[in-house]
Amino acid sequence: MKRSALAIAAHPDDIEFLMAGSLMALADAGYEIHYWNVADGCCGSMTTDRETTARIRLAEAQAAAASIGAHFHAPLCADLEVIYSLELLAKVTSVMRAIEPEIVLTHAPSDYMEDHMQVARLAVTGAFCRGMPNFSVNPPRAITQQKVTVYHAQPYQNRDPLGQLVMPELFVETADLVERKVDMLACHKSQKEWLDQSQGMGSYLEALRDLDRQVGHLSAKFSFAEGWRRHLHAGFCDPDDDPLADALASRVVRNPAY
């Protein structure tokens, strides 16, 4: 059976900034890859209305997913409506059962904005509920019983909401992937102006390179990297399971502090 990996994030372009290098490397390692933004990006504009913005960002996200051969999954709700609720959890769990991922890549549990943290909670519980027959999902799907390992990406700027540095457990080298990540991010043309105006990010594409460069510096080995921390195994997999590190062994270093 083909192994699968799911990247589940909050907004269109979050995967590109935080997860896409590892996702592409998993595809190169033979994994079937899945790309999913839970929110539709409707608030990501200073010039177009919600419906227009969501439509633009949907097309951009679909193009980004297609550019790396990822299966695209449609968003479930509007920006800032990502709430840990039974309704959303039933939908997230249904997709988890359909994909049967061995690896789930998602946001840090503590990050600079609420949508990111809520997606992390939904992803974790959705993976946990994959094998619970008495939990009803929408649409209905049979339970799955594969082992799954959940990995949390770095928070934005590698710091928690109180400004404390967060060190990864695993570093995945992206030096040979960072320009592919930039090409993915370039699909999100609508976001350059929005982020320049709302968050002062300057060069949208260079911001991605800077983030990977920062994580590479933390690794003390790589020039560019993405960082990951494993969720506790209980209810998901065996204690020593680490399929991300196993699949990408040639580009992974482990933080000795863990």
Side-chain angles (χ1 to χ4, degrees):
M1 185 174 66
K2 191 172 183 65
R3 298 170 299 174
S4 63
L6 167 65
I8 173 172
H11 313 106
D13 79 8
D14 284 339
I15 289 172
E16 286 75 2
F17 274 110
L18 301 169
M19 312 175 193
S22 300
L23 191 65
M24 288 187 286
L26 286 169
D28 293 342
Y31 276 75
E32 178 182 278
I33 59 172
H34 295 259
Y35 174 111
W36 192 12
N37 304 304
V38 174
D40 64 8
C42 67
C43 292
S45 177
M46 302 289 283
T47 57
T48 56
D49 63 26
R50 290 169 62 93
E51 291 74 19
T52 302
T53 302
R55 186 169 61 251
I56 290 169
R57 300 199 71 190
L58 175 63
E60 292 172 344
Q62 289 172 325
S67 74
I68 62 168
H71 295 267
F72 179 84
H73 298 269
L76 300 177
C77 62
D79 288 1
L80 302 176
E81 294 179 11
V82 186
I83 306 299
Y84 187 86
S85 65
L86 181 60
E87 178 185 4
L88 280 182
L89 181 59
K91 293 178 180 179
V92 169
T93 306
S94 182
V95 174
M96 290 282 184
R97 293 180 182 181
I99 295 171
E100 297 186 71
E102 176 184 338
I103 293 171
V104 171
L105 308 177
T106 193
H107 284 293
S110 183
D111 208 343
Y112 85 115
M113 73 168 301
E114 194 67 24
D115 281 359
H116 290 199
M117 295 186 287
Q118 294 297 325
V119 165
R121 293 181 66 197
L122 289 163
V124 166
T125 309
F128 190 86
C129 294
R130 71 199 182 284
M132 290 183 174
N134 289 343
F135 181 67
S136 299
V137 301
N138 180 22
R141 284 196 172 95
I143 64 168
T144 62
Q145 295 181 307
Q146 85 286 359
K147 295 192 295 182
V148 56
T149 306
V150 178
Y151 294 86
H152 294 285
Q154 284 293 93
Y156 180 63
Q157 294 188 347
N158 301 302
R159 295 184 180 273
D160 70 16
L162 299 181
Q164 298 301 304
L165 180 67
V166 173
M167 288 294 291
E169 175 188 3
L170 301 173
F171 296 90
V172 175
E173 184 180 20
T174 60
D176 60 329
L177 299 170
V178 68
E179 293 308 314
R180 290 174 66 189
K181 291 182 63 174
V182 168
D183 290 343
M184 275 185 79
L185 187 62
C187 294
H188 299 270
K189 297 180 177 65
S190 70
Q191 288 308 283
K192 181 183 184 303
E193 180 180 356
W194 157 251
L195 288 174
D196 285 353
Q197 292 178 352
S198 67
Q199 298 183 35
M201 291 189 72
S203 172
Y204 184 52
L205 303 181
E206 189 57 34
L208 183 151
R209 295 187 184 97
D210 286 343
L211 287 173
D212 276 29
R213 192 178 290 115
Q214 290 168 21
V215 179
H217 178 75
L218 293 176
S219 77
K221 179 174 181 178
F222 300 136
S223 54
F224 296 89
E226 291 176 350
W228 298 98
R229 290 175 292 163
R230 281 181 295 175
H231 198 86
L232 186 69
H233 71 279
F236 300 92
C237 58
D238 295 333
D240 295 329
D241 285 349
D242 195 352
L244 182 65
D246 292 342
L248 307 183
S250 64
R251 59 170 76 241
V252 166
V253 295
R254 190 178 302 276
N255 186 337
Y258 278 78

